[in-house]
Amino acid sequence: MQVKLKQPSVDTRELNELVIDSIHDIKGKNVVKLDLRHLEEAPTDYFIICEGDSNTQVKAIADNIYRRIKDEMGILPNHTEGQRESLWICIDYFTTVVHIFYREKRGFYDLENLWSDAKFVEYETL
């Protein structure tokens, strides 16, 4: 018998704030939130993008986001990708997709340029 967990309804603003706080916990750098809601072809409402100085830090940021969102909001991601190499970890929370990059990979994929029509909010590196 397979049990399917029911996801609680998501307050996207609260989710985004907790994701950004979780990134800052582990000293993630160059945090930016892209508001994609006004773009017709957007795959989600928001991207939150950040980077770490090592694959160990990238993994630690992703683990902290996962743990805090689960513990504090009771929400599990729809999908995660890239945990093994930890060069680019993607965590999908339906309305918000979090991209945690190793610095060189972020420049290579250049999501900010790809989605340059989005509304950007940059956060100070702590």
Side-chain angles (χ1 to χ4, degrees):
M1 180 165 131
Q2 187 177 29
V3 176
K4 191 167 189 176
L5 297 175
K6 184 179 180 228
Q7 291 281 19
S9 63
V10 176
D11 177 337
T12 302
R13 186 186 56 77
E14 182 182 349
L15 173 69
N16 291 346
E17 288 174 3
L18 188 53
V19 166
I20 290 162
D21 191 54
S22 300
I23 292 166
H24 285 146
D25 282 348
I26 312 296
K27 309 291 188 237
K29 296 181 177 172
N30 300 318
V31 182
V32 64
K33 177 176 70 179
L34 281 61
D35 183 343
L36 305 167
R37 292 176 294 175
H38 66 283
L39 301 177
E40 198 173 304
E41 69 281 359
T44 188
D45 291 344
Y46 295 93
F47 279 165
I48 297 177
I49 304 169
C50 71
E51 64 190 53
D53 291 326
S54 67
N55 61 340
T56 303
Q57 185 184 21
V58 168
K59 181 149 179 26
I61 293 168
D63 290 347
N64 194 50
I65 292 167
Y66 179 91
R67 182 188 52 78
R68 287 196 60 196
I69 300 298
K70 180 180 169 247
D71 292 350
E72 297 176 34
M73 296 185 75
I75 298 169
L76 295 173
N78 176 48
H79 184 73
T80 59
E81 196 69 44
Q83 297 255 331
R84 188 181 342 207
E85 289 87 22
S86 298
L87 298 174
W88 174 13
I89 297 177
C90 180
I91 309 172
D92 180 355
Y93 286 105
F94 294 104
T95 59
T96 299
V97 176
V98 185
H99 299 273
I100 307 131
F101 284 100
Y102 183 63
R103 184 175 40 251
E104 286 77 20
K105 289 293 181 185
R106 183 176 186 170
F108 179 78
Y109 288 102
D110 198 12
L111 291 182
E112 291 95 333
N113 189 45
L114 185 64
W115 294 98
S116 61
D117 291 345
K119 296 175 185 169
F120 284 67
V121 177
E122 294 183 39
Y123 295 86
E124 185 177 346
T125 297
L126 302 179

